[in-house]
Amino acid sequence: MNKSNKFSPEVRERAVRMVQEHRAEYPSLWAAIESIAPKIGCVPQTLHDWVKRAEIDAGLRAGTTTSDARRIKELEREVKELRRANEILKTASAFFAQAELD
């Protein structure tokens, strides 16, 4: 299932910045998020996910950064492609070895 990006990166950054700037005015992070989310037009959980992602990317929270996750995905794709190529080469090698024996 594809996720639709209803919100532009600029809107996401602005929303996260608003939460960070007004965090001290609320008793908890979640209270700030619940207050700001309707102003952005998203549900609080979505905004909370954006805030967590921003904190991870900034090194304030443990986790895999966006750039690391992107790099891991690229490497996994490359490994899959190389494994497929190796299987093709093994099959071709076995075929030619058998042909040489015949």
Side-chain angles (χ1 to χ4, degrees):
M1 178 187 278
N2 290 335
K3 288 184 178 181
S4 65
N5 288 332
K6 180 179 174 183
F7 300 97
S8 68
E10 293 80 20
V11 170
R12 291 176 186 209
E13 290 171 15
R14 181 171 175 247
V16 170
R17 193 171 53 250
M18 287 175 66
V19 169
Q20 291 169 342
E21 289 172 356
H22 297 284
R23 192 178 208 168
E25 300 170 13
Y26 296 92
S28 68
L29 172 63
W30 185 250
I33 288 171
E34 283 186 320
S35 173
I36 294 169
K39 296 173 186 171
I40 303 299
C42 68
V43 295
Q45 186 58 48
T46 300
L47 181 52
H48 187 243
D49 291 343
W50 296 346
V51 170
K52 286 193 309 187
R53 173 63 36 211
E55 288 175 348
I56 289 169
D57 288 346
L60 302 174
R61 181 187 287 241
T64 304
T65 63
T66 303
S67 60
D68 287 347
R70 188 177 303 121
R71 181 72 179 136
I72 289 168
K73 190 173 183 177
E74 290 170 6
L75 290 172
E76 287 173 344
R77 189 176 300 127
E78 186 178 342
V79 166
K80 184 177 178 181
E81 186 178 321
L82 290 171
R83 285 184 176 154
R84 191 175 324 121
N86 279 342
E87 285 303 314
I88 291 169
L89 290 172
K90 284 179 187 177
T91 304
S93 175
F95 173 79
F96 288 119
Q98 184 61 40
E100 207 172 86
L101 292 175
D102 291 340

